[in-house]
Amino acid sequence: TNNSSLLTGGGIHIEHSYPTITNCIFSNNACPDGFGGGICVVDGILSLQDCEFVGNVGGIGGGVYNQPAYESFHEVHGCTFKNNQAVNENYGHGGGLNHARGHLNLSNSVFIKNTASGGGGGISEHASNGMLVRSCDFSGNIAQGGGGIDAGGIGGCTLISSTFSDNHSFSYGGGIQIAGPYLYMLNCRLTNNVADWLGGAILVLYADQKPAMFVNCLIDNNTTYAGATVSIHGTLASEFINTTIINNFGPGIAVEGWEGQYVNVHNSVIW
């Protein structure tokens, strides 16, 4: 609590190491001009179990900054990220967690009221081997792009049984902004998110290797001021299966793809 660093890890700096951190609290630590208000990991393995990150401030990665080796695997389970800030102007990515490289498995965690001056109020994920998010809650996060999640990994993004509510983006993707090879959403809800430009609920860019797929999802009461609630651009294909898009301010779906792309809407409601 109340620790500070000039460059890396206000609370802990981890390098070339593989600890598992369990049942720990990181609060009000600061590294505003560097990386990781709570924790900074460089070329190590991130393993967090049942930890809390509250009120930490980092230049990039308000709660946690993780930059491991490629092809590595990382796990965050049962953690709380609340009121953390990434503040490095347009590069302040990942209010709660910034993850680059490796594969991230995130489960049973909550991201509440984190802010990022760049992308990803809750999480920023980029140049990674992919991210699996299961049974998580993103609520009240704010960012320049991707209020809840800003994902641009080379491995794509899979979201299962997770909720995105009351997140806000000052540009694209009130709940989620993703630019990667694919997006799969299963049993998720996006509600009451706001984007000042495109994608009140979600913006998808360049899912050009596999379809952008929504299965058993509820997308409701989101607000888009200049574009559609679900805004998809440059994709191979888009599929909506057993999905409801209802009571949103702004058009429901906008799809702009490559020549020959297809859109499959099956057993869904758009109202």
Side-chain angles (χ1 to χ4, degrees):
T1 300
N2 297 320
N3 301 287
S4 64
S5 171
L6 293 177
L7 183 60
T8 58
I12 295 178
H13 174 78
I14 299 169
E15 188 166 355
H16 298 290
S17 184
Y18 314 103
T20 295
I21 300 174
T22 304
N23 292 322
C24 292
I25 298 174
F26 297 80
S27 65
N28 300 315
N29 301 290
C31 187
D33 297 320
F35 305 89
I39 295 177
C40 176
V41 180
V42 178
D43 294 330
I45 298 294
L46 180 67
S47 178
L48 301 174
Q49 304 283 335
D50 302 313
C51 293
E52 295 183 20
F53 296 83
V54 181
N56 301 286
V57 178
I60 303 174
V64 175
Y65 177 85
N66 185 38
Q67 183 175 301
Y70 287 107
E71 306 298 336
S72 53
F73 290 85
H74 309 266
E75 184 172 5
V76 176
H77 175 80
C79 293
T80 297
F81 296 80
K82 184 176 181 180
N83 293 329
N84 302 287
Q85 301 176 61
V87 297
N88 186 5
E89 298 183 351
N90 292 333
Y91 299 98
H93 306 311
L97 168 65
N98 184 90
H99 173 72
R101 306 196 303 228
H103 183 276
L104 178 64
N105 186 4
L106 176 68
S107 60
N108 298 94
S109 297
V110 295
F111 292 77
I112 304 170
K113 295 183 178 179
N114 302 286
T115 62
S117 59
I123 295 177
S124 174
E125 177 263 345
H126 53 91
S128 79
N129 296 107
M131 179 169 65
L132 170 63
V133 177
R134 184 189 299 269
S135 300
C136 292
D137 181 26
F138 296 79
S139 178
N141 303 287
I142 300 173
Q144 183 65 33
I149 292 178
D150 177 27
I154 58 177
C157 184
T158 299
L159 307 171
I160 301 173
S161 300
S162 295
T163 300
F164 296 79
S165 62
D166 300 297
N167 302 289
H168 186 181
S169 168
F170 295 118
S171 59
Y172 308 130
I176 302 167
Q177 174 178 264
I178 177 169
Y182 67 85
L183 168 70
Y184 294 151
M185 293 193 71
L186 175 64
N187 297 330
C188 291
R189 185 180 185 188
L190 297 98
T191 182
N192 290 312
N193 302 288
V194 177
D196 291 354
W197 287 88
L198 303 177
I202 182 168
L203 173 79
V204 180
L205 293 172
Y206 310 124
D208 55 1
Q209 296 180 21
K210 298 179 182 179
M213 183 175 292
F214 302 80
V215 180
N216 296 334
C217 293
L218 173 60
I219 303 172
D220 66 297
N221 295 296
N222 301 282
T223 298
T224 306
Y225 289 111
T229 300
V230 179
S231 189
I232 302 176
H233 305 267
T235 59
L236 174 70
S238 303
E239 298 191 25
F240 299 86
I241 301 171
N242 300 331
T243 290
T244 297
I245 302 174
I246 190 171
N247 290 337
N248 298 287
F249 180 83
I253 302 173
V255 179
E256 176 187 13
W258 307 118
E259 182 178 356
Q261 85 135 5
Y262 69 88
V263 178
N264 177 26
V265 181
H266 177 74
N267 199 34
S268 297
V269 175
I270 303 172
W271 186 17

